[in-house]
Amino acid sequence: MQALIDVILPVFLVIGYGYIARLRGWVSDELVDHVMKFAQNFAVPLLLFAGIARMDLGANFHPPILISFYAGAFSGGLMGFLGARYLFKRELTDSVAIGFIGLFSNSLLLGIPITERAYGEAALAGNFAIISIHSPMLYGIGIAAMEIARSRGLGLSGFGLLRQIARSVLRNPLVLGIAAGWTVNISGLALPTPVWDAVTLMNRAAIPAALFGLGGVLLRYKPEGDMRIIAWAVFASLILHPMIAYGLGHFGFGLDIASLRSATITAAMAPGVNAYLFANMYGVAKRVAASSVLIGTGLSVLTIWCWLAILP
């Protein structure tokens, strides 16, 4: 119960504050969109930049933690896709979007604040290692799968497909922030102190703004129909993903407790808003994606609580 009160509740109170502010009309949809754009396009990319630029690659970029997390992510995505396609008989493009729900957890907006509140700022090194390849790799896979599904019979060349994937991924501000962090880390470039001070100021705004904006955005995602397939996608994200990450990390690789916490807690996060943005970008399975994000975020209060009890 203490973990619920001290760790989880403050994060979800900020989300709830944004939700209520929009529900009561204290802020407009336009303002919520601007807050999210500030967070996702400016503040959060700088947070990723700072975390990756300062990451000790030798100590934290550890293959077993990445394998544990991403084996769970790919399993969740595959479960979502196969269930949508063969159990619920959805169109191929719908199935890809529903698979993306199980694939893309909210590792950033929920994973970082939950981990930091539970275990301290020093525990975030493993999170940043996971996030450093999260958006580029998973967006690349999702876009590739969707473009292949859409191009059946359209004669899209392999080069054209690769160009479309690269253009979509490299325009993402989060990917640009990650790439800049890698550049500074690997090159050893020393940035002036005023630059780091400015980055730190932006970092302090990133998570509160993103959580408040997330609350406002979630108001739009009203659950409507398709409850069986939504439950399927949410199960893939909230249950299957962290179970595989924990099982592989603990029993397969024998990860130290800090790495096991980062892999498991990050995997236990609800489907990210990016799952809806991905579906909306292609105009498929939008209702399933939106409702999965909303319901998964609510249920994750309980599932995260369980994992914090397992990993005290």
Side-chain angles (χ1 to χ4, degrees):
M1 181 61 72
Q2 200 63 34
L4 178 64
I5 295 172
D6 292 344
V7 177
I8 302 172
L9 189 58
V11 172
F12 281 90
L13 281 176
V14 178
I15 295 173
Y17 187 26
Y19 188 95
I20 292 171
R22 181 65 202 99
L23 178 66
R24 301 294 297 174
W26 299 336
V27 296
S28 64
D29 270 338
E30 184 180 13
L31 181 58
V32 169
D33 287 339
H34 286 321
V35 170
M36 286 300 286
K37 284 180 181 178
F38 164 74
Q40 292 187 324
N41 294 346
F42 301 99
V44 173
L46 282 174
L47 178 69
L48 293 176
F49 163 76
I52 293 168
R54 293 167 167 167
M55 183 170 60
D56 184 342
L57 296 180
N60 298 308
F61 207 75
H62 189 38
I65 187 176
L66 299 178
I67 294 170
S68 298
F69 176 85
Y70 285 106
F74 292 137
S75 298
L78 189 61
M79 177 181 172
F81 172 79
L82 294 176
R85 184 64 174 158
Y86 298 107
L87 182 61
F88 299 101
K89 310 299 182 184
R90 299 295 290 249
E91 295 292 331
L92 186 59
T93 51
D94 276 16
S95 300
V96 172
I98 293 166
F100 198 77
I101 297 168
L103 181 70
F104 205 103
S105 60
N106 202 337
S107 60
L108 184 59
L109 302 189
L110 291 180
I112 286 181
I114 292 291
T115 303
E116 183 177 11
R117 291 194 62 80
Y119 308 118
E121 186 176 354
L124 292 177
N127 293 55
F128 283 122
I130 291 169
I131 293 170
S132 69
I133 60 174
H134 191 258
S135 288
M137 181 168 65
L138 299 189
Y139 259 116
I141 291 170
I143 291 168
M146 185 62 80
E147 294 297 338
I148 291 170
R150 295 175 71 210
S151 67
R152 292 195 312 167
L154 299 181
L156 186 64
S157 68
F159 176 76
L161 178 60
L162 289 175
R163 185 172 59 184
Q164 172 66 21
I165 295 167
R167 183 165 55 242
S168 298
V169 172
L170 294 178
R171 286 178 176 175
N172 189 311
L174 300 178
V175 174
L176 295 177
I178 289 167
W182 276 110
T183 301
V184 170
N185 192 312
I186 293 172
S187 68
L189 179 65
L191 298 180
T193 298
V195 172
W196 278 120
D197 289 345
V199 170
T200 299
L201 286 173
M202 288 288 284
N203 289 172
R204 291 172 184 166
I207 296 302
L211 292 176
F212 181 88
L214 176 61
V217 168
L218 286 177
L219 181 64
R220 305 172 190 173
Y221 301 161
K222 296 178 174 63
E224 297 175 327
D226 294 319
M227 291 308 298
R228 290 192 303 158
I229 195 168
I230 291 168
W232 181 271
V234 169
F235 179 89
S237 178
L238 291 186
I239 306 299
L240 182 65
H241 186 178
M243 283 183 63
I244 290 177
Y246 178 82
L248 270 179
H250 183 57
F251 300 106
F253 294 114
L255 289 176
D256 62 87
I257 188 61
S259 297
L260 186 62
R261 286 168 174 165
S262 289
T264 307
I265 298 300
T266 306
M269 296 301 113
V273 172
N274 286 296
Y276 171 73
L277 298 178
F278 181 82
N280 188 58
M281 181 169 63
Y282 289 103
V284 295
K286 292 190 291 183
R287 183 167 62 185
V288 174
S291 296
S292 296
V293 171
L294 177 60
I295 294 171
T297 300
L299 291 177
S300 67
V301 174
L302 299 177
T303 57
I304 294 167
W305 184 19
C306 291
W307 285 111
L308 288 176
I310 295 171
L311 297 162

